[in-house]
Amino acid sequence: MDEPLYGTPIPHHTPTGPLSPPLARATTSAQPDAETLRLLGAGQRSGEFYQRLGHTNGRMFESLAAAREGADGAVAFSSGMAAISGAMLALVRRGDRVLIPHEVYGGTAAFVTQDLPRFGIEVERFHSLDDAGLEAGLARGARLVVLETPVNPTLRLVDLAVTTARCRAHGAITLVDGTFAPPPIQRPLQLGADLVVHSATKFYGGHSDVLAGVVAGRHELMRPIEAFRRRTGGVLAPDPAWLLCRSWATLDLRLAAQQAASLELAVGLQRLCDEGELAAAIYPGLPQHPDRALAQRQMQGGGTLVSFEVHGGHDRARRVFDALQVVARAASLGSVESLASLPAYTTHASLSAAERHAAGIPDGLLRISVGLEGAAVLLADIASALRRTR
Ligand code: PLP
């Protein structure tokens, strides 16, 4: 069967028709005859059949996601973790080795280190910026390499063109978690990645009300991933798929506004550093950023996450975090509301202080996911929190 089972063209608006696509919640659809049922059931024909095997709203979102990445196709899952675990489990087998950075999202690290070994898959960790460590791992043989950039929460960058070429030379598949910088900010497939995965819960949903994930790549890799999803059932439901298509209309506008505000906020935070109020302002769009040149090559802009380090270590960071009045203290990113994260307490709580320091995460670090409130409002909120916690 040549016709892919994921993705479907979005119906064009007609001059008088509804301006948004219908939401189809049916779990099953009646068919004209036994032969049609046989072909649909065997996955030899696409169409409405049974919701777990794919549905119109999900396929619409998949088409949008694939087009945005410049991919042959995309397969949507019920969460980012379902997409990441589904893509890996579909492609690895007993005896394979998977390489994964120490700094990768904690949920991904937990799945890879706790679940994959139960299926006879070897796992090796490397530091995101340690090219020699990755090369050594590749030399021992690897089926799949996970990459994530910008690196959380230090916002250092992995050179995707160089790293994916290195992995390809060793015959390893690269899976890039692009959640932190969706297209048009960063296009991992155009930089040589085999697969890109997103927690669509973040920018793609954009309003803190949808949990979803999506993986995109070439048909050769998407077919087994779609088939695995059919068998294991982690499909995205129609309602969140519909919401994702709705969010799509404002995605570029949101990203542009969030990115412009991030740069303005980062410049303001850098000014606070120069005045001695902050220990560091970290943003790939700042001239002071160590990967600034790479950011200019591989990203369009510096993204929408800004980190900063307060004076006074852990205790002060916690007090500044608690004193924020506009930025919400919430675990996530990419939403219209600005969100603050305290890595030592949340995403990187499982690391010892020494491990955090080795990963370049100082005790006083806070990360802001910049929303749509405007840079002046956010800067005033942070400056006020700093003043009130001196
Ligand atoms: N990848 C990254 C970089 C994330 O930040 C997250 C969630 O925070 C995930 C994957 C997992 O996505 P989800 O929460 O949608 O399962």
Side-chain angles (χ1 to χ4, degrees):
M1 203 210 56
D2 294 330
E3 200 183 347
L5 299 171
Y6 38 85
T8 197
I10 302 286
H12 287 292
H13 295 317
T14 58
T16 54
L19 290 181
S20 67
L23 168 60
R25 289 196 176 115
T27 52
T28 188
S29 297
Q31 306 301 330
D33 49 43
E35 180 59 7
T36 309
L37 268 168
R38 188 186 70 77
L39 291 169
L40 285 166
Q44 290 172 2
R45 178 181 291 180
S46 69
E48 293 311 293
F49 173 42
Y50 184 69
Q51 197 183 99
R52 174 166 47 77
L53 311 183
H55 52 84
T56 304
N57 293 107
R59 285 193 286 262
M60 283 182 189
F61 168 61
E62 288 167 345
S63 289
L64 292 172
R68 183 164 281 266
E69 299 288 355
D72 287 351
V75 175
F77 286 82
S78 56
S79 69
M81 278 319 305
I84 290 166
S85 58
M88 284 199 224
L89 287 169
L91 298 174
V92 294
R93 60 187 55 181
R94 172 175 295 279
D96 281 347
R97 293 175 75 247
V98 168
L99 306 185
I100 175 175
H102 286 287
E103 299 82 359
V104 82
Y105 171 63
T108 307
F111 161 71
V112 170
T113 56
Q114 291 172 35
D115 294 298
L116 288 185
R118 294 191 294 111
F119 302 103
I121 293 146
E122 264 184 65
V123 173
E124 188 175 320
R125 310 292 297 262
F126 65 99
H127 285 286
S128 290
L129 303 180
D130 177 11
D131 292 344
L134 173 61
E135 188 66 45
L138 288 166
R140 287 188 276 277
R143 164 77 174 152
L144 189 142
V145 180
V146 178
L147 301 169
E148 202 175 286
T149 183
V151 175
N152 182 34
T154 56
L155 308 183
R156 294 295 307 267
L157 305 182
V158 175
D159 189 326
L160 286 178
V162 167
T163 312
T164 57
R166 179 171 284 142
C167 296
R168 202 176 323 118
H170 287 271
I173 295 170
T174 44
L175 182 153
V176 175
D177 186 330
T179 301
F180 274 34
I185 299 176
Q186 185 174 272
R187 297 181 189 277
L189 298 182
Q190 270 60 54
L191 295 166
D194 295 300
L195 292 167
V196 61
V197 66
H198 287 272
S199 166
T201 313
K202 310 298 187 307
F203 296 92
Y204 284 179
H207 297 73
S208 307
D209 55 9
V210 174
L211 189 76
V214 65
V215 54
R218 51 186 192 276
H219 285 310
E220 172 200 342
L221 297 173
M222 300 321 295
R223 286 189 201 285
I225 294 173
E226 190 278 336
F228 180 82
R229 185 188 64 177
R230 297 180 150 234
R231 295 193 294 272
T232 49
V235 69
L236 180 66
D239 287 69
W242 189 94
L243 278 170
L244 285 162
C245 292
R246 202 269 303 270
S247 289
W248 221 253
T250 57
L251 179 55
D252 285 328
L253 287 175
R254 283 186 281 113
L255 287 173
Q258 286 168 273
Q259 204 166 229
S262 299
L263 178 58
E264 203 182 323
L265 174 63
V267 168
L269 293 174
Q270 182 60 47
R271 209 177 311 121
L272 291 179
C273 284
D274 299 340
E275 293 164 3
E277 291 290 328
L278 279 179
I282 304 162
Y283 181 65
L286 282 178
Q288 292 85 350
H289 192 280
D291 303 318
R292 163 86 163 147
L294 175 56
Q296 287 174 324
R297 281 204 306 280
Q298 110 174 348
M299 297 171 76
Q300 277 185 39
T304 77
L305 291 150
V306 180
S307 293
F308 60 91
E309 184 192 351
V310 299
H311 291 298
H314 217 287
D315 173 62
R316 175 88 186 294
R318 192 175 156 163
R319 287 188 293 121
V320 170
F321 185 74
D322 287 353
L324 293 168
Q325 290 176 330
V326 174
V327 182
R329 288 167 286 276
S332 199
L333 60 123
S335 187
V336 293
E337 312 89 11
S338 293
L339 309 177
S341 138
L342 193 55
Y345 267 80
T346 54
T347 44
H348 297 73
S350 62
L351 302 186
S352 68
E355 286 170 328
R356 274 199 305 277
H357 297 162
I361 305 170
D363 288 339
L365 196 77
L366 280 86
R367 188 198 78 192
I368 308 288
S369 165
V370 175
L372 293 179
E373 298 89 347
V377 173
L378 301 177
L379 189 59
D381 192 30
I382 294 168
S384 155
L386 288 169
R387 264 196 313 276
R388 284 180 291 122
T389 55
R390 266 190 197 129

